Amino acid sequence: MLLHMGDVMSEVPLLERTLGRWKGKRVAIGIGNDTSFSGLLEDFDDEVILLKEVIDYVGNRAKELLVKIDDVNWITLL
């Protein structure tokens, strides 16, 4: 996807486009080798992702999870 800003053309990164479409929806993320969480994608920026109503792979619950994008191995839309 290309955005035209006057005479300057910039490409929106795939991660930003995808997370923007998924905002407000339930996603699952993998962190490290064997840790995964699901939750509502609340917000994101270049450095972190914020999930709400979080559940981990064994059923533990949390109100929010803030994770560095660099630590995320995968993200799926549920």
Side-chain angles (χ1 to χ4, degrees):
M1 168 188 250
L2 296 177
L3 297 178
H4 296 279
M5 298 176 193
D7 294 330
V8 178
M9 189 184 316
S10 67
E11 188 171 332
V12 177
L14 178 60
L15 180 63
E16 186 177 333
R17 287 193 322 256
T18 304
L19 292 180
R21 285 188 298 114
W22 291 0
K23 199 169 179 181
K25 298 179 180 173
R26 184 160 292 280
V27 297
I29 63 172
I31 302 170
N33 291 331
D34 59 357
T35 305
S36 61
F37 300 90
S38 67
L40 297 175
L41 178 56
E42 178 72 15
D43 207 356
F44 64 93
D45 62 21
D46 292 340
E47 297 178 10
V48 296
I49 296 174
L50 174 62
L51 299 182
K52 286 197 166 194
E53 300 177 22
V54 179
I55 304 172
D56 71 6
Y57 68 99
V58 293
N60 297 314
R61 296 180 179 270
K63 291 181 182 180
E64 295 181 325
L65 172 68
L66 188 64
V67 62
K68 288 177 25 179
I69 287 180
D70 292 343
D71 294 337
V72 175
N73 292 330
W74 52 264
I75 307 171
T76 61
L77 177 63
L78 300 177

